[in-house]
Amino acid sequence: MSFSRIPRRLVHHRCCLTTHSNSPPTVDSALETISQRNPSLNAFVTSRVPAELAETAVADGPLKGWPVGIKANIATVSNSDTDVTSCGSHALQSYKSPFQATVVDALERAGAVVMGKTNMDEFGMGSKNTYSIYGPARNPHTSEPQDKDPCQIYDRSPGGSSGGSAAAVASNMCRAALGSDTGGSVRLPAAWCGIVGFKPSYGRISRYGLVPYGSSLDTVGIMARSVQDVQQVFQAVSRPDTRDMTCMTELLRSRINMGSQSRPWAARLLSQNDMEAEKPLAGIRIGIPRECW
C-alpha cells in the first residue's frame, strides 16, 4: 500500500501518538495512562500501585523520575506479590526472582522508576505478541470509536516478541522500556509501533538476569520515542559486569572507543554534542538495500 492510500485519520492518529513535541510522561501521568489504556492494549501484565511507587526511593541520576517498563523475561525484585518474571508462560507464571537483572539495577541507580512488567510472546518465541498467557498485546495505532468494544477496536499487532514494551512506549505508559532481541524482537515491534528501537552490539549490555532464549544471540534492547531518550538509557546501562562472562570488559570498550578515533564519522556519532547538532549525519554515506532476500 502506498503512503497516499493510507487513511488520513490513521496518519493523523499515528502522528499524535509518536509526537515528541509534547512533554514526556512522568510517573503520575504514566500511572493515569496505564489505568485508562492498559485494559485495552494489554501492554503491561503487572504494574506497581501508586502506594508502592510512593515508597520507592528515586536516585538522583540522569534518568531521575523516568517511568520505564521491563519486559517479562528480565528479572526484577520488589515487595509486590504480582512482580513475577513469567516470560509470558504458564511454566513461570508465579516465579519470583531472588535477584534482579544488572540492567534493572543500572536503571534504578540512574533514577528511573520501574512501572511494571510488559507483555511478550511466551519465552520470546514469536513475532506478533500473540502467544502469551496474558493474551495478545495490541498496537495503539488505531482510532477509538466510542461505540465499540476497545478490545475489538485494537485489532492490530504491535509486533513481537517485545510487543508489550513497544505498545507501552507508543501510548505514553512509560518513557522508555527494555526488551530483548534475539532475531528482531526489539526492532520489529518498534517499527510496527512507530517508535525507536535499539539493539546494541552483543556484549554492550549485561545479560545477567535475562532469561535466555539463544545465549549466543540474546541482547537487551531499548525502546523509546526518540533517539535521544534511547541514547540516555543506553549510556546508563552499558557497563561491564563480571556476572556475565559475555559482557564487554572495560578494557575492550576502551579499545573499541580508541579505534573509533581513526574514523572521524564514527567519533562524531559517539559524541553527545554532535548528536544534538542540527545535522549530525552530515557527510556520512548510508546504503539502502534494494532487495533483502
Side-chain angles (χ1 to χ4, degrees):
M1 177 185 292
S2 65
F3 184 81
S4 60
R5 295 181 60 188
I6 299 176
R8 189 178 299 274
R9 61 182 177 80
L10 291 181
V11 174
H12 173 73
H13 189 67
R14 175 169 181 172
C15 290
C16 290
L17 280 172
T18 58
T19 179
H20 304 298
S21 59
N22 298 330
S23 300
T26 63
V27 171
D28 290 338
S29 67
L31 281 171
E32 182 177 357
T33 305
I34 290 172
S35 66
Q36 292 176 352
R37 305 201 64 187
N38 197 59
S40 301
L41 298 178
N42 200 25
F44 276 97
V45 295
T46 65
S47 58
R48 294 178 174 174
V49 297
E52 182 184 358
L53 292 173
E55 296 175 356
T56 303
V58 179
D60 189 8
L63 307 181
K64 185 175 182 178
W66 284 34
V68 297
I70 308 295
K71 189 177 178 179
N73 63 346
I74 299 175
T76 54
V77 174
S78 75
N79 295 326
S80 173
D81 293 334
T82 62
D83 186 12
V84 295
T85 304
S86 67
C87 298
S89 173
H90 281 294
L92 296 177
Q93 62 181 330
S94 59
Y95 173 67
K96 289 181 64 67
S97 175
F99 62 91
Q100 186 156 270
T102 297
V103 67
V104 179
D105 282 338
L107 284 176
E108 292 183 339
R109 285 197 301 270
V113 179
V114 175
M115 304 301 294
K117 292 293 192 62
T118 57
N119 208 344
M120 60 178 288
D121 284 291
E122 185 172 5
F123 288 110
M125 299 181 184
S127 58
K128 293 185 177 180
N129 209 148
T130 302
Y131 303 105
S132 166
I133 60 170
Y134 305 105
R138 299 179 176 89
N139 195 318
H141 294 297
T142 312
S143 58
E144 302 182 57
Q146 299 300 316
D147 57 344
K148 293 185 179 180
D149 180 0
C151 292
Q152 295 179 2
I153 296 169
Y154 293 102
D155 58 353
R156 293 179 173 86
S157 167
S161 62
S162 307
S165 291
V169 170
S171 57
N172 262 338
M173 294 186 199
C174 55
R175 183 166 178 175
L178 296 182
S180 61
D181 194 310
T182 305
S185 289
V186 164
R187 294 160 287 173
L188 175 63
W192 287 21
C193 290
I195 61 173
V196 180
F198 175 53
K199 174 193 175 294
S201 298
Y202 186 81
R204 278 288 183 179
I205 298 178
S206 170
R207 293 186 298 113
Y208 180 79
L210 170 67
V211 178
Y213 177 3
S215 292
S216 60
L217 297 171
D218 292 341
T219 56
V220 175
I222 303 166
M223 285 179 272
R225 292 163 69 97
S226 70
V227 173
Q228 289 76 17
D229 282 359
V230 169
Q231 184 185 34
Q232 283 188 261
V233 174
F234 178 65
Q235 289 175 341
V237 301
S238 179
R239 297 285 186 272
D241 183 14
T242 57
R243 295 177 294 184
D244 176 11
M245 64 183 296
T246 65
C247 190
M248 292 183 183
T249 63
E250 189 62 52
L251 176 60
L252 179 56
R253 293 167 192 264
S254 299
R255 289 174 60 187
I256 293 173
N257 292 338
M258 290 179 60
S260 68
Q261 296 177 3
S262 63
R263 299 185 295 275
W265 61 269
R268 190 162 69 251
L269 284 179
L270 292 172
S271 169
Q272 171 72 20
N273 293 331
D274 284 330
M275 282 300 293
E276 296 175 349
E278 183 177 354
K279 295 182 179 180
L281 302 181
I284 296 176
R285 180 180 299 176
I286 299 175
I288 301 177
R290 293 184 177 181
E291 188 173 344
C292 298
W293 303 103

